[in-house]
Coordinates of all heavy atoms in Angstrom, one line a residue:
T17 N 30.4 92.4 -4.0 CA 31.4 92.2 -2.9 C 31.1 90.9 -2.3 O 30.0 90.5 -2.0 CB 31.3 93.3 -1.9 OG1 31.4 94.6 -2.5 CG2 32.3 93.1 -0.8
I18 N 32.1 90.1 -2.0 CA 32.0 88.8 -1.3 C 32.7 88.9 0.0 O 33.8 89.4 0.1 CB 32.6 87.7 -2.2 CG1 31.9 87.6 -3.5 CG2 32.6 86.4 -1.4 CD1 32.5 86.6 -4.4
W19 N 32.0 88.5 1.1 CA 32.5 88.5 2.4 C 32.8 87.1 2.8 O 32.1 86.2 2.5 CB 31.5 89.1 3.4 CG 31.2 90.6 3.1 CD1 31.9 91.6 3.5 CD2 30.1 91.1 2.4 NE1 31.4 92.8 3.0 CE2 30.2 92.5 2.4 CE3 29.0 90.5 1.7 CZ2 29.3 93.3 1.7 CZ3 28.1 91.3 1.1 CH2 28.3 92.7 1.1
S20 N 33.9 87.0 3.5 CA 34.3 85.6 4.0 C 33.6 85.3 5.3 O 33.5 84.1 5.7 CB 35.8 85.6 4.1 OG 36.3 86.5 5.1
A21 N 33.2 86.3 6.1 CA 32.6 86.0 7.4 C 31.1 85.8 7.2 O 30.5 86.3 6.3 CB 32.9 87.2 8.3
R22 N 30.6 85.1 8.2 CA 29.1 84.9 8.2 C 28.5 86.3 8.7 O 29.0 86.9 9.5 CB 28.7 83.9 9.2 CG 29.1 82.5 8.8 CD 28.7 81.5 9.9 NE 28.5 80.2 9.2 CZ 27.5 79.4 9.5 NH1 26.6 79.8 10.3 NH2 27.4 78.3 8.9
P23 N 27.3 86.6 8.1 CA 26.7 87.8 8.5 C 26.0 87.7 9.9 O 25.6 86.6 10.3 CB 25.7 88.1 7.4 CG 25.3 86.7 6.9 CD 26.6 85.9 7.1
F24 N 25.9 88.8 10.5 CA 25.1 88.9 11.7 C 23.8 89.7 11.3 O 23.9 90.7 10.6 CB 25.8 89.8 12.8 CG 26.7 89.0 13.7 CD1 27.5 88.0 13.1 CD2 26.8 89.2 15.0 CE1 28.4 87.3 13.9 CE2 27.6 88.5 15.8 CZ 28.4 87.5 15.3
I25 N 22.7 89.3 11.8 CA 21.5 90.0 11.5 C 21.1 90.8 12.7 O 20.9 90.3 13.8 CB 20.4 89.0 11.0 CG1 20.8 88.2 9.8 CG2 19.1 89.7 10.8 CD1 19.9 87.2 9.3
C26 N 20.8 92.0 12.4 CA 20.5 93.0 13.5 C 19.0 93.2 13.3 O 18.6 94.0 12.4 CB 21.3 94.3 13.3 SG 20.8 95.5 14.5
A27 N 18.2 92.6 14.2 CA 16.7 92.8 14.1 C 16.2 93.5 15.3 O 15.9 92.9 16.3 CB 16.0 91.5 13.9
A28 N 16.2 94.8 15.3 CA 15.6 95.5 16.4 C 14.1 95.2 16.5 O 13.5 94.9 15.5 CB 15.8 97.0 16.3
S29 N 13.5 95.3 17.6 CA 12.1 94.9 17.8 C 11.2 95.8 17.0 O 11.1 97.0 17.3 CB 11.8 95.0 19.3 OG 10.4 94.7 19.4
I30 N 10.6 95.3 16.0 CA 9.6 96.0 15.2 C 8.3 96.1 15.9 O 7.7 97.2 15.8 CB 9.5 95.4 13.8 CG1 10.8 95.5 13.0 CG2 8.3 96.0 13.0 CD1 10.8 94.7 11.7
K31 N 7.9 95.1 16.6 CA 6.6 95.1 17.3 C 6.5 96.2 18.3 O 5.5 96.8 18.5 CB 6.3 93.7 17.9 CG 6.1 92.6 16.8 CD 5.9 91.3 17.5 CE 5.7 90.3 16.4 NZ 5.7 88.9 16.9
T32 N 7.6 96.4 19.1 CA 7.5 97.4 20.2 C 8.0 98.7 19.7 O 8.0 99.7 20.5 CB 8.4 96.9 21.4 OG1 9.8 96.8 20.9 CG2 7.9 95.6 21.9
G33 N 8.6 98.8 18.5 CA 9.1 100.0 18.0 C 10.4 100.4 18.7 O 10.8 101.6 18.6
N34 N 11.1 99.5 19.3 CA 12.4 99.8 20.0 C 13.5 99.8 19.0 O 14.2 98.9 18.8 CB 12.6 98.7 21.0 CG 13.9 98.9 21.8 OD1 14.3 100.1 21.9 ND2 14.4 97.9 22.5
Y35 N 13.6 101.0 18.3 CA 14.6 101.1 17.2 C 15.0 102.5 17.1 O 14.2 103.4 17.2 CB 14.0 100.6 15.9 CG 14.8 101.0 14.7 CD1 16.0 100.3 14.4 CD2 14.5 102.1 13.9 CE1 16.8 100.7 13.4 CE2 15.2 102.4 12.8 CZ 16.4 101.7 12.6 OH 17.2 102.1 11.5
S36 N 16.3 102.7 16.9 CA 16.8 104.1 16.7 C 17.8 104.0 15.5 O 18.6 103.1 15.5 CB 17.5 104.6 17.9 OG 18.2 105.8 17.6
P37 N 17.7 104.9 14.6 CA 18.6 104.9 13.4 C 20.1 105.1 13.9 O 21.0 104.9 13.2 CB 18.2 106.1 12.5 CG 17.2 106.8 13.3 CD 16.7 106.0 14.4
R38 N 20.3 105.6 15.1 CA 21.6 105.8 15.6 C 22.4 104.5 15.7 O 23.6 104.5 15.6 CB 21.6 106.5 17.0 CG 21.1 107.9 16.8 CD 21.2 108.7 18.1 NE 20.3 108.0 19.1 CZ 20.1 108.3 20.4 NH1 20.8 109.3 20.9 NH2 19.3 107.7 21.1
I39 N 21.7 103.4 15.9 CA 22.4 102.1 15.9 C 23.1 101.9 14.6 O 24.3 101.4 14.5 CB 21.5 100.9 16.3 CG1 22.4 99.7 16.6 CG2 20.5 100.6 15.3 CD1 21.6 98.5 17.2
M40 N 22.5 102.2 13.5 CA 23.1 102.1 12.2 C 24.4 102.9 12.1 O 25.4 102.5 11.5 CB 22.1 102.5 11.1 CG 20.8 101.8 11.1 SD 21.1 100.0 10.8 CE 19.4 99.6 10.5
D41 N 24.3 104.2 12.6 CA 25.4 105.1 12.6 C 26.6 104.4 13.3 O 27.8 104.5 12.8 CB 25.1 106.4 13.2 CG 24.0 107.2 12.4 OD1 23.9 106.9 11.2 OD2 23.4 108.0 13.0
E42 N 26.3 103.8 14.5 CA 27.4 103.2 15.2 C 28.0 102.0 14.5 O 29.2 101.8 14.5 CB 26.9 102.8 16.6 CG 26.6 103.9 17.5 CD 26.3 103.4 18.9 OE1 27.1 102.5 19.4 OE2 25.4 103.9 19.5
L43 N 27.1 101.2 13.9 CA 27.6 100.0 13.2 C 28.4 100.4 11.9 O 29.5 99.8 11.7 CB 26.5 99.1 12.8 CG 25.7 98.4 13.9 CD1 24.4 97.8 13.5 CD2 26.6 97.4 14.6
I44 N 28.0 101.4 11.2 CA 28.7 101.9 10.1 C 30.1 102.5 10.5 O 31.1 102.3 9.8 CB 27.9 102.9 9.3 CG1 26.7 102.1 8.6 CG2 28.7 103.7 8.2 CD1 25.7 103.0 8.0
A45 N 30.1 103.3 11.6 CA 31.3 103.8 12.1 C 32.3 102.7 12.5 O 33.5 102.8 12.3 CB 31.1 104.7 13.3
L46 N 31.8 101.6 13.0 CA 32.6 100.5 13.4 C 33.2 99.7 12.2 O 34.4 99.4 12.1 CB 31.9 99.6 14.3 CG 32.5 98.3 14.7 CD1 33.8 98.5 15.6 CD2 31.6 97.3 15.4
L47 N 32.3 99.4 11.3 CA 32.6 98.4 10.2 C 32.8 99.0 8.8 O 33.4 98.4 8.0 CB 31.5 97.3 10.1 CG 31.2 96.5 11.3 CD1 30.0 95.6 11.1 CD2 32.4 95.7 11.7
G48 N 32.3 100.2 8.6 CA 32.3 100.8 7.3 C 31.0 100.5 6.6 O 30.4 99.4 6.8
A49 N 30.5 101.4 5.8 CA 29.2 101.2 5.1 C 29.2 100.0 4.2 O 28.1 99.4 4.0 CB 28.9 102.5 4.3
E50 N 30.3 99.6 3.7 CA 30.3 98.4 2.8 C 30.1 97.1 3.5 O 29.8 96.1 2.8 CB 31.7 98.4 2.0 CG 32.9 98.0 2.8 CD 33.5 99.2 3.6 OE1 33.0 100.4 3.5 OE2 34.4 99.0 4.4
R51 N 30.2 97.1 4.8 CA 29.9 95.9 5.6 C 28.7 96.0 6.4 O 28.5 95.2 7.4 CB 31.1 95.5 6.4 CG 32.3 95.1 5.5 CD 33.4 94.4 6.3 NE 34.2 95.3 7.0 CZ 34.7 95.0 8.2 NH1 34.5 93.9 8.8 NH2 35.4 95.9 8.9
V52 N 27.8 97.0 6.2 CA 26.5 97.1 6.8 C 25.4 97.2 5.8 O 25.4 98.3 5.1 CB 26.5 98.3 7.8 CG1 25.1 98.4 8.5 CG2 27.6 98.2 8.8
L53 N 24.7 96.2 5.6 CA 23.6 96.3 4.6 C 22.3 96.9 5.2 O 21.9 96.4 6.3 CB 23.2 94.9 4.1 CG 24.4 94.0 3.4 CD1 23.8 92.7 3.0 CD2 25.0 94.8 2.3
T54 N 21.8 97.9 4.5 CA 20.5 98.5 5.0 C 19.5 98.7 3.9 O 18.3 98.9 4.3 CB 20.9 99.9 5.6 OG1 21.5 100.7 4.6 CG2 21.8 99.8 6.8
A55 N 19.8 98.5 2.7 CA 18.8 98.7 1.6 C 17.9 97.5 1.6 O 18.3 96.4 1.7 CB 19.6 98.8 0.3
P56 N 16.6 97.8 1.4 CA 15.6 96.8 1.5 C 15.9 95.6 0.5 O 15.7 94.4 0.9 CB 14.3 97.5 1.1 CG 14.5 98.9 1.5 CD 16.0 99.1 1.3
E57 N 16.3 95.9 -0.7 CA 16.6 94.8 -1.6 C 17.8 94.0 -1.2 O 17.9 92.8 -1.5 CB 16.9 95.4 -3.0 CG 18.0 96.3 -3.2 CD 17.7 97.8 -2.9 OE1 16.7 98.1 -2.3 OE2 18.6 98.6 -3.2
D58 N 18.7 94.5 -0.4 CA 19.8 93.7 0.1 C 19.4 92.9 1.3 O 20.1 91.9 1.6 CB 21.0 94.6 0.5 CG 21.6 95.3 -0.6 OD1 21.6 94.8 -1.8 OD2 22.2 96.4 -0.4
L59 N 18.4 93.3 2.0 CA 17.9 92.6 3.2 C 17.0 91.4 2.9 O 16.8 90.5 3.8 CB 17.3 93.6 4.2 CG 18.2 94.7 4.6 CD1 17.4 95.7 5.5 CD2 19.4 94.2 5.4
I60 N 16.4 91.4 1.8 CA 15.4 90.3 1.5 C 16.0 88.9 1.7 O 15.3 88.1 2.3 CB 14.8 90.5 0.1 CG1 13.9 91.8 0.0 CG2 14.0 89.3 -0.4 CD1 13.5 92.2 -1.4
P61 N 17.2 88.6 1.2 CA 17.7 87.2 1.4 C 17.8 86.8 2.9 O 17.9 85.6 3.2 CB 19.0 87.2 0.7 CG 19.0 88.3 -0.2 CD 18.1 89.4 0.4
Y62 N 17.9 87.8 3.8 CA 18.1 87.5 5.2 C 16.8 87.6 6.0 O 16.8 87.6 7.2 CB 19.1 88.5 5.8 CG 20.4 88.5 5.1 CD1 20.7 89.4 4.1 CD2 21.3 87.5 5.4 CE1 21.9 89.3 3.4 CE2 22.5 87.4 4.7 CZ 22.8 88.3 3.7 OH 24.0 88.2 3.0
S63 N 15.6 87.7 5.3 CA 14.3 87.9 5.9 C 13.7 86.6 6.4 O 12.6 86.7 7.0 CB 13.4 88.6 4.9 OG 13.9 89.9 4.6
F64 N 14.3 85.5 6.1 CA 13.7 84.2 6.5 C 14.7 83.2 6.7 O 15.8 83.3 6.2 CB 12.6 83.7 5.5 CG 13.1 83.7 4.1 CD1 13.7 82.6 3.6 CD2 13.0 84.8 3.3 CE1 14.2 82.6 2.3 CE2 13.5 84.8 2.0 CZ 14.1 83.7 1.5
G65 N 14.4 82.2 7.5 CA 15.4 81.2 7.8 C 15.0 79.9 7.1 O 14.8 79.9 5.9
G66 N 14.9 78.8 7.8 CA 14.6 77.5 7.3 C 13.1 77.3 6.9 O 12.8 76.4 6.3
T67 N 12.3 78.3 7.3 CA 10.9 78.1 7.1 C 10.3 79.4 6.5 O 10.6 80.5 7.0 CB 10.1 77.7 8.3 OG1 8.7 77.7 8.0 CG2 10.3 78.6 9.5
A68 N 9.5 79.3 5.5 CA 8.9 80.5 4.9 C 7.8 81.1 5.9 O 7.4 82.2 5.7 CB 8.3 80.1 3.6
A69 N 7.4 80.3 6.9 CA 6.3 80.8 7.8 C 6.8 81.9 8.7 O 6.0 82.7 9.2 CB 5.7 79.6 8.5
L70 N 8.1 81.9 9.0 CA 8.7 82.8 9.9 C 9.5 83.8 9.1 O 10.6 83.6 8.8 CB 9.5 82.1 11.0 CG 8.9 81.1 11.8 CD1 9.9 80.4 12.7 CD2 7.8 81.8 12.7
R71 N 8.9 85.0 8.9 CA 9.6 86.0 8.1 C 9.6 87.3 8.9 O 8.6 87.7 9.5 CB 8.9 86.3 6.8 CG 9.0 85.2 5.8 CD 8.4 85.5 4.5 NE 8.7 84.5 3.5 CZ 8.6 84.6 2.2 NH1 8.2 85.8 1.7 NH2 8.9 83.7 1.4
Q72 N 10.7 88.0 8.9 CA 10.8 89.3 9.4 C 12.1 90.0 8.8 O 13.2 89.4 8.9 CB 10.9 89.3 10.9 CG 11.0 90.7 11.5 CD 11.1 90.7 13.0 OE1 11.1 89.7 13.6 NE2 11.0 91.9 13.6
R73 N 11.9 91.1 8.1 CA 13.0 91.7 7.5 C 13.9 92.4 8.6 O 13.3 93.2 9.4 CB 12.5 92.8 6.5 CG 13.7 93.2 5.6 CD 13.3 94.2 4.6 NE 13.2 95.5 5.3 CZ 12.5 96.5 4.8 NH1 11.8 96.5 3.7 NH2 12.4 97.6 5.5
P74 N 15.1 92.1 8.6 CA 16.0 92.8 9.6 C 16.2 94.3 9.2 O 16.0 94.7 8.1 CB 17.3 92.0 9.5 CG 17.3 91.5 8.1 CD 15.9 91.2 7.7
R75 N 16.6 95.1 10.2 CA 16.9 96.5 9.9 C 18.2 96.6 9.2 O 18.4 97.5 8.4 CB 16.9 97.2 11.3 CG 15.7 97.3 12.0 CD 14.7 98.2 11.3 NE 13.5 98.2 12.2 CZ 12.5 99.1 12.0 NH1 12.6 100.0 11.1 NH2 11.5 99.1 12.8
C76 N 19.1 95.7 9.5 CA 20.4 95.7 8.8 C 21.1 94.3 9.0 O 20.6 93.5 9.8 CB 21.3 96.8 9.4 SG 21.9 96.5 11.0
V77 N 22.1 94.1 8.2 CA 22.9 92.9 8.3 C 24.3 93.4 8.3 O 24.7 94.2 7.4 CB 22.7 91.9 7.1 CG1 23.6 90.7 7.2 CG2 21.2 91.4 7.1
V78 N 25.1 92.9 9.2 CA 26.5 93.3 9.3 C 27.5 92.2 9.1 O 27.1 91.0 9.3 CB 26.8 94.0 10.7 CG1 25.9 95.2 10.9 CG2 26.6 93.0 11.9
F79 N 28.7 92.5 8.6 CA 29.7 91.5 8.3 C 31.0 91.8 9.0 O 31.9 92.3 8.5 CB 29.9 91.5 6.8 CG 28.7 91.0 6.0 CD1 27.7 91.9 5.6 CD2 28.6 89.7 5.6 CE1 26.6 91.5 4.9 CE2 27.5 89.3 4.9 CZ 26.5 90.2 4.5
P80 N 31.0 91.4 10.3 CA 32.3 91.6 11.1 C 33.3 90.6 10.6 O 32.9 89.5 10.2 CB 31.9 91.4 12.5 CG 30.7 90.5 12.4 CD 30.0 90.9 11.2
R81 N 34.6 91.0 10.6 CA 35.6 90.1 10.1 C 36.5 89.5 11.2 O 37.1 88.5 11.0 CB 36.5 90.8 9.2 CG 35.8 91.2 7.9 CD 36.8 91.7 6.9 NE 36.1 92.1 5.7 CZ 36.4 93.1 4.9 NH1 37.4 93.9 5.3 NH2 35.8 93.4 3.8
T82 N 36.5 90.1 12.4 CA 37.3 89.6 13.5 C 36.5 89.4 14.7 O 35.4 89.9 14.8 CB 38.4 90.7 13.8 OG1 37.8 91.9 14.4 CG2 39.3 91.1 12.6
T83 N 37.1 88.7 15.7 CA 36.4 88.5 16.9 C 36.2 89.8 17.7 O 35.2 90.0 18.4 CB 37.1 87.5 17.8 OG1 38.5 87.9 18.0 CG2 37.1 86.1 17.2
D84 N 37.1 90.7 17.6 CA 37.0 92.0 18.2 C 35.8 92.8 17.6 O 35.0 93.4 18.3 CB 38.2 92.9 18.1 CG 39.4 92.4 18.9 OD1 39.1 91.6 19.9 OD2 40.5 92.7 18.6
E85 N 35.6 92.7 16.3 CA 34.5 93.3 15.6 C 33.1 92.7 16.0 O 32.1 93.3 16.3 CB 34.6 93.3 14.1 CG 35.6 94.2 13.6 CD 35.8 94.2 12.1 OE1 35.3 93.2 11.4 OE2 36.4 95.1 11.5
V86 N 33.1 91.3 16.2 CA 31.9 90.6 16.6 C 31.6 91.1 18.0 O 30.4 91.4 18.3 CB 32.1 89.1 16.6 CG1 31.0 88.4 17.3 CG2 32.3 88.6 15.2
A87 N 32.6 91.2 18.9 CA 32.3 91.7 20.3 C 31.8 93.1 20.3 O 30.9 93.4 21.0 CB 33.6 91.6 21.1
A88 N 32.4 94.0 19.4 CA 31.9 95.3 19.4 C 30.5 95.4 18.9 O 29.7 96.2 19.4 CB 32.9 96.2 18.5
V89 N 30.1 94.6 17.9 CA 28.8 94.6 17.3 C 27.8 94.2 18.5 O 26.7 94.8 18.6 CB 28.6 93.7 16.1 CG1 27.2 93.4 15.8 CG2 29.3 94.3 14.9
L90 N 28.2 93.2 19.2 CA 27.3 92.7 20.3 C 27.2 93.8 21.4 O 26.1 93.9 22.0 CB 27.8 91.4 20.8 CG 27.7 90.2 19.9 CD1 28.3 89.0 20.4 CD2 26.3 90.0 19.5
R91 N 28.3 94.5 21.7 CA 28.2 95.6 22.7 C 27.2 96.6 22.2 O 26.4 97.1 23.0 CB 29.5 96.2 23.0 CG 30.4 95.4 23.9 CD 31.6 96.1 24.4 NE 32.5 96.4 23.3 CZ 33.5 95.6 22.9 NH1 33.6 94.4 23.4 NH2 34.3 96.0 21.9
I92 N 27.3 97.0 21.0 CA 26.3 98.0 20.4 C 24.9 97.5 20.5 O 24.0 98.2 20.9 CB 26.7 98.3 19.0 CG1 28.0 99.1 18.9 CG2 25.6 99.2 18.3 CD1 28.6 99.3 17.5
A93 N 24.7 96.2 20.1 CA 23.3 95.7 20.1 C 22.8 95.6 21.6 O 21.6 95.9 21.8 CB 23.4 94.3 19.5
C94 N 23.6 95.3 22.5 CA 23.2 95.2 23.9 C 22.8 96.6 24.4 O 21.8 96.7 25.3 CB 24.2 94.6 24.8 SG 24.4 92.8 24.6
R95 N 23.4 97.6 24.0 CA 23.0 99.0 24.4 C 21.7 99.4 23.9 O 21.0 100.2 24.5 CB 24.1 100.0 24.0 CG 25.3 100.0 24.9 CD 26.1 101.3 24.8 NE 26.3 101.8 23.5 CZ 27.3 101.5 22.6 NH1 28.2 100.6 23.0 NH2 27.4 102.0 21.4
W96 N 21.3 98.9 22.7 CA 20.1 99.3 22.1 C 19.0 98.3 22.4 O 17.9 98.4 22.1 CB 20.3 99.5 20.6 CG 21.2 100.6 20.3 CD1 22.5 100.6 20.0 CD2 20.8 102.0 20.4 NE1 23.0 101.8 19.8 CE2 22.0 102.7 20.0 CE3 19.7 102.7 20.6 CZ2 22.0 104.1 20.0 CZ3 19.7 104.1 20.6 CH2 20.9 104.8 20.3

């Protein structure tokens, strides 16, 4: 599948353990499972940025298509 929108990376705090699987349920309900990556092998490309020294695997990567979906993803993220 090819997405035209840039992905959003959802990285709940791993160090503090501030994570609930319910956030995934909300994101999937909003966008559909095909636009929420959660499998470890799908997340690897999003685990680092411009430097190999800074790595952290995100809990998920989402692909909103509209500004309304972006706003809804951010509302969900702010609640968690």
Side-chain angles (χ1 to χ4, degrees):
T17 304
I18 297 175
W19 295 278
S20 60
R22 290 179 156 226
F24 274 41
I25 298 178
C26 177
S29 175
I30 293 172
K31 292 179 183 173
T32 61
N34 184 18
Y35 168 74
S36 170
R38 291 183 299 176
I39 190 172
M40 304 297 190
D41 295 338
E42 287 189 46
L43 292 169
I44 291 169
L46 172 68
L47 301 173
E50 68 281 355
R51 291 196 285 144
V52 180
L53 302 180
T54 58
E57 62 273 12
D58 292 334
L59 300 175
I60 291 170
Y62 302 98
S63 297
F64 50 90
T67 175
L70 300 173
R71 289 185 175 197
Q72 182 176 7
R73 192 179 80 201
R75 298 286 184 166
C76 71
V77 176
V78 298
F79 295 86
R81 290 187 182 144
T82 67
T83 54
D84 288 339
E85 287 178 347
V86 170
V89 166
L90 293 175
R91 280 193 296 274
I92 291 169
C94 286
R95 280 202 317 272
W96 294 100

